[in-house]
Amino acid sequence: MNKRKIIGVIVVIFGLIMVGGSMGSVAQYGVAAPISMSLIVFVGLALIFWDKIKTWLS
């Protein structure tokens, strides 16, 4: 695995922890907190699958 994929896995794990933690604050912030934290997960997945995304876009 190269560095980008390793960092992507770390970002996805961090994002999942953040989404789980923000689920407890749904009463205070609504669904905005889990949705915004799930963007971290999408960035991590983009880092992991960047080669496939790049070939799909071109």
Side-chain angles (χ1 to χ4, degrees):
M1 291 180 72
N2 55 13
K3 287 182 183 179
R4 186 179 64 242
K5 289 186 180 186
I6 293 171
I7 292 172
V9 169
I10 293 170
V11 169
V12 167
I13 291 170
F14 175 74
L16 289 175
I17 291 170
M18 295 298 285
V19 168
S22 65
M23 289 296 217
S25 62
V26 169
Q28 185 177 0
Y29 298 112
V31 295
I35 290 173
S36 62
M37 293 301 153
S38 65
L39 292 175
I40 297 172
V41 176
F42 290 130
V43 168
L45 290 174
L47 286 171
I48 294 171
F49 297 110
W50 180 249
D51 296 330
K52 293 180 183 179
I53 293 171
K54 191 166 65 171
T55 57
W56 181 67
L57 291 175
S58 60

